[in-house]
Amino acid sequence: MATLLTCCLSERDKSQRLTSRDIDRRLNRDRMTFRRTVRILLLGAGESGKSTFLKQMRIIHGVDFDNEDLQEFKSIIYNNIVKGMRVLIDARDKLGIPWGDETNVKDANFVFSFDGNNKLDDHTFLQYVEPMKNLWNDNGIRTAFDRRREFQLGDSLLYFANNLDRIGQLNYIPTKDDILLSRKATKGIIEKILHIRGVPFMFIDVGGQRSQRQKWFQCFEGITSILFLASSSEFDQVLMEDRKTNRMQESCFIFETIINNKSFVNVSVILFLNKMDLLTEKVKAVNISDYFPDFQGDPHNIENVKTFLLRMFDSRRRDKAKPLFHHFTTAIDTKNIERVFRDVRDTILHDNLKSLMLQ
Ligand SMILES: Nc1nc2c(ncn2[C@@H]2O[C@H](COP(=O)(O)OP(=O)(O)OP(=O)(O)O)[C@@H](O)[C@H]2O)c(=O)[nH]1
Ligand SMILES: [Mg+2]
């Protein structure tokens, strides 16, 4: 019958049937890829390190930054440095800190006149380099920098200021470290697919600032795993958004809503207590019990502080039947993230395989 039918079909019908069979095959393949795709959602407050983690995924899995990316990062880095310096100039003034050297006022006025909305090209940036070096050497600016928890300054200015000689060269090209330390707040939803050992992994990066969080729910369906990042060094800082809420409190609050959300009962949520490098430095000088009076132990002992922070997040979970997967991370450190991700990947793939077999 089938043969009879086929022989009665015109050449055109035959080719259309072939095409439709091809489409079916393609759809099936897409469906399989869709089911096999591991979807990892990155969540956490603003500046917790989500986009930095995604940059590491690219670096670790060999998806290099092309020339266009490098130019874009260069512009972001220029902007980070000049804007950061402007913040310090303003803070020195508002905090009433005297200049180390009064003759730096001229340089301060010049740098402060930079319009933050403008994109900096090489030539314009170079004009700011010498004035910024003078300012960075000024005692008044350094005192303002030491009091940075009292205002809003990105975490990477110290690194960039210490590398100003190199970055201020005309033929400057950002290194991997420069890229990892650069900062641009995420707006919207960024999806990036990477093939890791033959398995498609989709990383979904969202903006963590308050205004961005209403977009999160759009990404909640079909998620395999959530990596929740919290910046552990921010226990003495307030939010950029309202300049009064403690950043660590905000982060715990967001974690609480995610971890207890019914949509995620079958999703593994892994907590990353990030910025361990900054936390280790901070606890040497700052007493966490000034901000969290329930802290018990030695406030200058990093292990005591890590245990306290982990318990604080853990205490927000209602369902204690499952253990809380967690890692202490430094997202700018490729080796650290490589090791942590290997562990996370195995856990996720194991869980994913189990659920695929159940389907
Ligand atoms: N020193 C240090 N800096 C880090 C670490 N993780 C991230 N940063 C820096 O912190 C800043 C903010 O990181 P992002 O990755 O942009 O943060 P985000 O969570 O994507 O922020 P939003 O997009 O606003 O939600 C960047 O300048 C990073 O280089 C870390 O472990 N240590
Ligand atoms: Mg981001």
Side-chain angles (χ1 to χ4, degrees), residues 45-52 156 180-183 185-186 206-209 274-275 277-278 330-332:
E47 288 184 79
S48 54
K50 301 178 290 299
S51 303
T52 310
S156 302
L180 289 166
L181 277 118
S182 68
R183 159 76 178 153
T186 307
V206 294
Q209 289 177 347
N274 191 34
K275 303 200 182 179
D277 57 331
L278 298 176
T330 297
I332 53 165

Side-chain angles (χ1 to χ4, degrees), residues 176-194:
K176 291 217 164 73
D177 280 343
D178 298 348
I179 292 172
L180 289 166
L181 277 118
S182 68
R183 159 76 178 153
K184 186 177 176 204
T186 307
K187 309 268 181 258
I189 297 160
I190 316 280
E191 294 181 345
K192 178 95 196 147
I193 294 190
L194 297 174

